[in-house]
Amino acid sequence: MILRVLFLGEGSSDGGITTHIRRIATEYGFRVVVTDPLTERFPQSRQRTVRSKLETIKEIGGVYELVIVHRDADGDGRERRLHEIRQAVEAVMPDTPFMGAIPIRMTEAWLMLDERNIRQVAGNPNGKMDLGLPKPAFVERIPDPKAMLAEKLALASGLSGRRLDKFKKRFPEHRRQLLDRIDPLGPICEVSSWRSFNEDLLAGLSQAAGLSSG
């Protein structure tokens, strides 16, 4: 059977994560259809919380076997984010399995490990400047990974002046491309929150398949 999976990101540029949801599902023999709704088109009052987004989706007839919610841990930690997600899903879709995709601090910490991808997305694949990228063991300790990623992309682009200013404005699209390009067999395997994402997704898919077949 085909599992209907709902993915809720914090913003539209998080949609690259769905590439890896589909890939992992396929690798383990699950057939899935992943819905990534444009929640920014919801009424503004319905964009503020996971619960309000779920309520809107349910009202328009959304039915799913698995809910995946992406939230950055920021300074609150993984367990608090999971608790928030659990409360929201159980209040709106109480019989639906769920999981949290929760990078430590910010998703950008997942995106600073692959030099080749950064150079390609920056439009300067043959650049030779030293990017000074962090090691996997330390990437989740960076206080502001979003600012650092923007800095590394700007450096990799080799641009200056007005061209650099225009380049910086495309950061959300660059971020989405980097998410989509994550090499699952690359350095990110050493990042704990990425391993948790893979393990939790597999567990969620297994639970959803079990309930559906029952």
Side-chain angles (χ1 to χ4, degrees):
M1 70 167 297
I2 298 176
L3 297 176
R4 293 165 293 184
V5 177
L6 172 65
F7 173 78
L8 282 184
E10 291 191 313
S12 58
S13 62
D14 294 321
I17 294 175
T18 61
T19 297
H20 304 286
I21 294 172
R22 295 184 184 94
R23 173 185 54 76
I24 293 167
T26 300
E27 286 177 0
Y28 286 94
F30 295 99
R31 298 173 65 199
V32 299
V33 172
V34 182
T35 298
D36 178 11
L38 296 173
T39 57
E40 63 269 23
R41 295 185 179 177
F42 291 178
Q44 195 156 12
S45 62
R46 292 298 190 94
Q47 298 179 26
R48 295 173 183 167
T49 66
V50 173
R51 178 168 177 167
S52 65
K53 293 175 184 178
L54 289 173
E55 287 172 342
T56 304
I57 290 165
K58 187 174 182 179
E59 287 169 8
I60 61 178
V63 178
Y64 300 93
E65 280 75 48
L66 178 64
V67 174
I68 300 174
V69 180
H70 166 259
R71 289 290 311 278
D72 286 339
D74 295 321
D76 292 328
R78 173 180 167 82
E79 290 307 314
R80 181 168 178 178
R81 286 288 178 257
L82 279 175
H83 178 69
E84 292 171 358
I85 293 167
R86 181 179 296 107
Q87 283 188 317
V89 176
E90 290 180 350
V92 183
M93 301 178 179
D95 299 320
T96 307
F98 66 91
M99 64 156 288
I102 307 174
I104 302 301
R105 294 194 183 275
M106 298 178 183
T107 305
E108 286 80 8
W110 285 356
L111 308 180
M112 286 188 286
L113 301 175
D114 193 318
E115 182 175 336
R116 185 178 66 172
N117 280 343
I118 289 174
R119 293 190 189 279
Q120 288 179 336
V121 169
N124 188 17
N126 298 318
K128 301 300 182 183
M129 64 289 289
D130 181 13
L131 301 184
L133 299 179
K135 301 293 185 184
F138 301 102
V139 73
E140 292 187 300
R141 303 181 194 175
I142 297 168
D144 190 347
K146 183 175 182 178
M148 180 177 283
L149 179 61
E151 174 191 316
K152 301 303 182 186
L153 280 165
L155 178 61
S157 74
L159 299 173
S160 60
R162 291 183 179 180
R163 294 178 66 192
L164 179 59
D165 290 340
K166 290 178 65 175
F167 174 87
K168 288 179 177 179
K169 292 177 181 178
R170 298 199 300 273
F171 179 76
E173 176 56 28
H174 296 151
R175 179 183 183 277
R176 184 185 178 98
Q177 290 179 37
L178 286 170
L179 264 173
D180 188 65
R181 290 167 176 258
I182 287 175
D183 179 2
L185 301 179
I188 200 168
C189 292
E190 300 177 47
V191 179
S192 62
S193 61
W194 176 259
R195 293 197 302 268
S196 294
F197 165 68
N198 283 258
E199 293 164 2
D200 292 348
L201 176 57
L202 181 56
L205 289 167
S206 299
Q207 183 184 3
L211 289 173
S212 299
S213 62

